[in-house]
Amino acid sequence: CLNVITAGVYIFVGGHLVLKGLISVGLFITNLQAFASIGVAASEMNKVLIQMQVSLPALHRLIAYLNLPTDLVHRLWLTEHRRELTKRVMDDLIREEHHNVIDMISIKLSGVRFRYDQRNGRNLGLLEFNQGQLVVMIGPRGHGKSTILRVLAGVNLPTLPDKSSVFFIASHLRVLYVPAETCFVTGTLYENLIYGTSPSDPDASMDRVMSICKRLNCPLHLRDEVQFGEGVSWLKTMSRSEAKLLSLARAFIANPEIIVFDK
């Protein structure tokens, strides 16, 4: 629009000057082409400015998210704490001449706290169990079951108020958290089930995946989808119970030392 207005004004003014003999026809045409080029450049600049204006709110939100405080320092400190404690416990067991020392290290949570906001938070009490055990937590709603599970899995990071507080999962143990909400991405069902595992890893072999699905009694049509299915949006094609069952299968396929199931 700006280009048309500029050209129209110059045609009127320049044409009047040509009729009076003040400028030549060649100069008039050259100037008209120059104004047309300027108009095109101005239109492109206007489009860019409009795109920038549209993008600014999203950029502001992105900058705000990028500048949110992170838990990296706290997470690194807890990791180092676990490593030091693991070494200390293993040295004690070796001195006592125990065999299979790595498998004898228990998981312990004692006197640690966690808070979701600026309040004092909740003492998570005492919890200790050995490797290889199946532990089930039951209790009324809102009494910290999910919080403890998320702390054990490393999703929520606890604080250790004093030297007597213990948060200990041996540093060599991989912990996998399976949340209550299922999550599947667009892709083949096999790709979803081995997510987080390298395709070249023996744990991700099709035979092993199918064996786990069969032992969990996954429906036959889902097992067929694992072997032969194409990439789709799976949460739109599966029932809630099927999604839960496949989340369970994915956890076993990943083959961690500790699996934390939430509801």
Side-chain angles (χ1 to χ4, degrees):
C1 182
L2 181 62
N3 187 20
V4 174
I5 293 173
T6 303
V9 170
Y10 182 72
I11 288 172
F12 177 78
V13 176
H16 186 65
L17 294 175
V18 170
L19 291 175
K20 286 187 173 183
L22 297 176
I23 62 173
S24 65
V25 175
L27 180 60
F28 170 75
I29 294 174
T30 302
N31 289 341
L32 186 60
Q33 290 177 338
F35 278 117
S37 299
I38 293 171
V40 171
S43 296
E44 292 298 323
M45 289 178 61
N46 186 54
K47 290 179 183 178
V48 172
L49 290 173
I50 291 174
Q51 291 175 349
M52 290 176 62
Q53 186 178 13
V54 171
S55 302
L56 275 177
L59 288 173
H60 286 153
R61 289 195 295 271
L62 179 61
I63 291 171
Y65 290 141
L66 289 174
N67 285 280
L68 288 174
T70 68
D71 61 4
L72 182 60
V73 174
H74 191 187
R75 191 173 293 276
L76 288 173
W77 182 85
L78 282 175
T79 300
E80 188 61 30
H81 172 75
R82 286 177 57 193
R83 288 174 178 170
E84 292 178 358
L85 200 52
T86 300
K87 186 177 183 304
R88 195 184 313 157
V89 171
M90 289 185 66
D91 289 343
D92 291 342
L93 290 173
I94 290 172
R95 279 196 296 269
E96 295 173 8
E97 298 183 351
H98 288 288
H99 300 289
N100 299 323
V101 171
I102 290 180
D103 296 331
M104 295 184 63
I105 302 176
S106 62
I107 291 114
K108 186 174 182 180
L109 191 98
S110 174
V112 302
R113 304 185 70 88
F114 178 79
R115 61 183 183 184
Y116 286 101
D117 50 34
Q118 297 303 315
R119 293 176 296 178
N120 291 329
R122 168 179 292 171
N123 189 319
L124 301 182
L126 173 63
L127 177 68
E128 185 172 7
F129 54 91
N130 295 321
Q131 297 180 50
Q133 287 185 311
L134 175 63
V135 180
V136 180
M137 297 182 63
I138 59 175
R141 182 187 297 271
H143 280 61
K145 301 185 299 300
S146 292
T147 300
I148 291 175
L149 293 177
R150 290 169 66 88
V151 166
L152 287 172
V155 179
N156 294 343
L157 301 183
T159 56
L160 281 60
D162 51 56
K163 293 183 178 180
S164 63
S165 303
V166 178
F167 171 60
F168 180 57
I169 299 176
S171 57
H172 63 276
L173 298 178
R174 295 177 302 146
V175 185
L176 179 65
Y177 176 66
V178 182
E181 303 81 15
T182 57
C183 180
F184 288 85
V185 299
T186 300
T188 67
L189 195 52
Y190 173 71
E191 290 170 342
N192 273 275
L193 290 180
I194 66 168
Y195 186 82
T197 305
S198 173
S200 61
D201 193 316
D203 288 341
S205 68
M206 180 61 77
D207 289 342
R208 183 172 180 274
V209 171
M210 293 303 298
S211 175
I212 290 173
C213 290
K214 187 175 181 179
R215 292 192 66 178
L216 291 175
N217 202 25
C218 292
L220 183 60
H221 73 276
L222 286 180
R223 283 182 268 163
D224 288 340
E225 289 288 355
V226 173
Q227 284 188 294
F228 312 112
E230 299 178 353
V232 298
S233 181
W234 290 104
L235 287 180
K236 296 180 180 179
T237 61
M238 290 189 295
S239 69
R240 183 178 177 85
S241 59
E242 288 174 340
K244 286 277 191 181
L245 188 60
L246 288 176
S247 290
L248 183 63
R250 179 166 52 193
F252 287 122
I253 290 166
N255 200 21
E257 284 76 23
I258 302 173
I259 304 179
V260 179
F261 297 107
D262 193 352
K263 299 177 183 177

